[in-house]
């Protein structure tokens, strides 16, 4: 059975995963979405449009945390998944309430890129082994949330949705590292590969949210973003 410490160097596998993940977080902080909201010159209409396109992702996150519980059979990992679900249940409603409070009356949108990214994560949470489910939920999805909310919290001062996540996401990330410290039924390669794939998906989603928000704020969906017409 593998251990969590390299016998030759004394370096923890968890430490190496954490360092790799920190680099991914730094790269995600440079995504178009994070840069857009961290920019003091971004206009209010664009910021409001961002929350419109965050809503379907927030709604999808509720599916993610539910699916993880439904498909987890390991007792300790299922207990962790339940704790995580209970902490996060209903946060999409916080976003909806925040949007209403700020007068964002746009209807819930559907976007194929956002939906496909969410579907990839939901499917992975159905099919991955338990430890990798925890890695995906805590070290990828929650790490992305922590990076995003830390980066943009000052853009939405006193907003309950943004400030709440800025406070709790660090704890949720730590849950994932604790799983890796306690378990030995994982390999460094499979964890790093999963993280790389997940960060690619979430960066594509983040860039899409920014792209759609900028287009909408500029006067409507651009031709490049409009649904393609079927050709005969």
């Amino acid at each position: 059975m593998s251990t969590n410490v390299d016998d030759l160097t004394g370096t923890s596998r968890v430490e190496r995963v954490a360092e790799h993940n920190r680099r991914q977080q730094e790269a995600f902080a440079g995504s178009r979405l994070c840069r857009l909201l961290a920019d003091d010159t971004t206009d209010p209409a664009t910021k409001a449009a961002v929350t419109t396109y965050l809503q379907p992702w927030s709604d999808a996150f509720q599916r993610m945390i539910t699916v993880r519980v439904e498909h987890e059979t390991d007792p300790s990992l299922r207990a962790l998944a339940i704790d995580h679900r209970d902490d996060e249940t209903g946060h999409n409603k916080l976003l909806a309430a925040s949007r209403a409070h700020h007068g964002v009356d746009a209807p819930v949108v559907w976007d194929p890129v956002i939906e496909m990214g969410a579907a990839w994560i939901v499917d992975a949470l159905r099919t991955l082994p338990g430890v990798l489910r925890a890695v995906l939920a805590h070290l990828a999805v929650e790490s992305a949330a922590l990076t995003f909310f830390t980066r943009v919290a000052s853009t939405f001062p006193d907003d309950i949705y943004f400030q709440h996540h800025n406070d709790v996401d660090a704890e949720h990330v730590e849950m994932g590292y604790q799983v890796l410290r306690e378990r030995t039924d994982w390999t460094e390669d499979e964890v790093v590969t999963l993280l790389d794939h997940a960060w690619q998906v979430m960066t594509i989603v983040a860039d899409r949210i920014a792209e759609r928000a900028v287009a909408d704020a500029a006067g409507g969906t651009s031709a490049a973003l409009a649904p393609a017409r079927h050709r005969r």
Side-chain angles (χ1 to χ4, degrees):
M1 180 178 293
S2 62
T3 67
N4 286 332
V5 177
D6 189 306
D7 291 336
L8 296 177
T9 67
T11 303
S12 165
R13 293 192 300 162
V14 181
E15 291 172 353
R16 290 195 295 270
V17 168
E19 179 57 32
H20 181 81
N21 214 33
R22 279 191 289 271
R23 291 194 295 271
Q24 293 283 19
Q25 287 178 278
E26 290 169 2
F28 188 75
S31 67
R32 188 177 181 188
L33 179 60
C34 289
R35 288 186 287 110
L36 181 70
L37 291 181
D39 186 347
D40 292 338
T41 66
T42 298
D43 60 274
T46 301
K47 294 176 184 177
V50 164
T51 65
T52 295
Y53 286 95
L54 275 178
Q55 189 69 61
W57 179 259
S58 184
D59 293 343
F61 181 72
Q62 297 296 305
R63 299 197 297 273
M64 297 174 197
I65 57 177
T66 300
V67 163
R68 180 186 172 199
V69 171
E70 290 174 346
H71 290 269
E72 185 54 74
T73 58
D74 181 285
S76 64
L77 293 176
R78 190 169 193 276
L80 178 66
I82 290 171
D83 286 346
H84 186 215
R85 180 200 62 190
D86 291 350
D87 281 350
E88 295 282 2
T89 294
H91 287 186
N92 58 329
K93 295 178 182 178
L94 283 180
L95 176 56
S98 169
R99 293 173 61 228
H101 176 74
H102 292 290
V104 181
D105 57 0
V108 176
V109 295
W110 184 90
D111 180 85
V113 177
I114 297 171
E115 293 298 329
M116 285 188 288
W120 183 88
I121 294 175
V122 168
D123 185 62
L125 289 170
R126 286 194 182 102
T127 59
L128 286 170
V131 170
L132 293 184
R133 280 196 189 99
V135 167
L136 178 57
H138 296 282
L139 301 187
V141 178
E142 286 289 0
S143 286
L146 176 62
T147 303
F148 171 72
F149 287 111
T150 300
R151 181 86 168 155
V152 309
S154 61
T155 305
F156 299 93
D158 303 320
D159 184 286
I160 186 172
Y161 175 76
F162 285 87
Q163 295 305 320
H164 176 80
H165 282 85
N166 198 33
D167 292 338
V168 303
D169 285 335
E171 178 183 344
H172 291 159
V173 172
E174 177 56 28
M175 289 176 176
Y177 289 121
Q178 189 61 33
V179 168
L180 295 186
R181 293 186 194 101
E182 294 174 352
R183 306 282 293 233
T184 58
D185 51 336
W186 59 277
T187 70
E188 192 172 336
D189 284 347
E190 67 186 1
V191 166
V192 167
T193 297
L194 174 61
L195 288 172
D196 287 348
H197 291 170
W199 281 108
Q200 288 180 60
V201 169
M202 291 183 295
T203 300
I204 289 170
V205 170
D207 287 346
R208 178 66 168 188
I209 291 171
E211 181 183 23
R212 293 301 303 265
V214 169
D216 281 13
T221 303
S222 68
L225 297 177
R229 295 180 181 275
H230 293 289
R231 293 181 174 85
R232 294 183 182 275

